[in-house]
Amino acid sequence: MKILIINGPNINMLGIREPNVYGGQSYQELLRLLKDWAAELDIEAEHFQSNHEGAIVDEIQAAYGCVDGIIINPAAYTHTSIAILDALKAVSIPAVEVHISDVSSREEFRQISYPGQACFHTIMGQGLEGYHQAMIVLKNHLSKQ
Ligand code: DQA
């Protein structure tokens, strides 16, 4: 089982950006955790992070026929990107949306998720552990297919 984990803009600044919201662990620490969780669940996981919307669209398109599932934290593009929504719909790869913070209890402009509309599940407010939960949910979903 092969999955692609996509992180959007400013996720590479974890540990530096608003630690009161996103915690004190760095993006490198997140990558290490993802590696451990992938090994624990016997999943092959690839990682991609970009600050550019089109690069994320390109990555989703390139995943067509290559991966079984996607975990995506579109970060700020969550609230603006119909292009990422359309890319997820175009490839029809089962996807789980993750947010480190609890976006539902934050500003009004964060209350809409466009890419989330192409995801079968959303996890939010669990910190980095949310990616672990997303892997479990995705693995269970793919195992049933
Ligand atoms: C985020 C929430 C978004 O609203 C924000 O723009 C981010 C990170 C999260 O993981 O909590 O950059 O996706």
Side-chain angles (χ1 to χ4, degrees), residues 68-86:
D68 304 303
I70 290 176
I71 291 172
I72 184 164
N73 181 349
Y77 290 136
T78 303
H79 318 300
T80 61
S81 184
I82 296 168
I84 294 175
L85 165 63
D86 283 349

Side-chain angles (χ1 to χ4, degrees), residues 36-95:
D36 290 350
W37 292 328
E40 169 204 307
L41 294 165
D42 196 22
I43 291 173
E44 191 185 335
E46 282 181 7
H47 314 285
F48 178 78
Q49 189 277 328
S50 178
N51 296 324
H52 304 278
E53 184 178 22
I56 295 170
V57 170
D58 287 345
E59 187 69 16
I60 293 167
Q61 290 185 6
Y64 181 70
C66 299
V67 305
D68 304 303
I70 290 176
I71 291 172
I72 184 164
N73 181 349
Y77 290 136
T78 303
H79 318 300
T80 61
S81 184
I82 296 168
I84 294 175
L85 165 63
D86 283 349
L88 289 169
K89 282 184 166 176
V91 296
S92 279
I93 299 170

Side-chain angles (χ1 to χ4, degrees), residues 9 11 17 22 73-76 78-79 98-101 103 106 110:
I11 300 297
R17 73 181 294 213
Y22 300 110
N73 181 349
T78 303
H79 318 300
V98 174
H99 297 288
I100 297 165
S101 66
V103 282
R106 297 183 64 192
R110 295 185 204 274

Side-chain angles (χ1 to χ4, degrees), residues 79 106-112:
H79 318 300
R106 297 183 64 192
E107 300 94 327
E108 191 58 37
F109 62 82
R110 295 185 204 274
Q111 299 313 309
I112 180 135

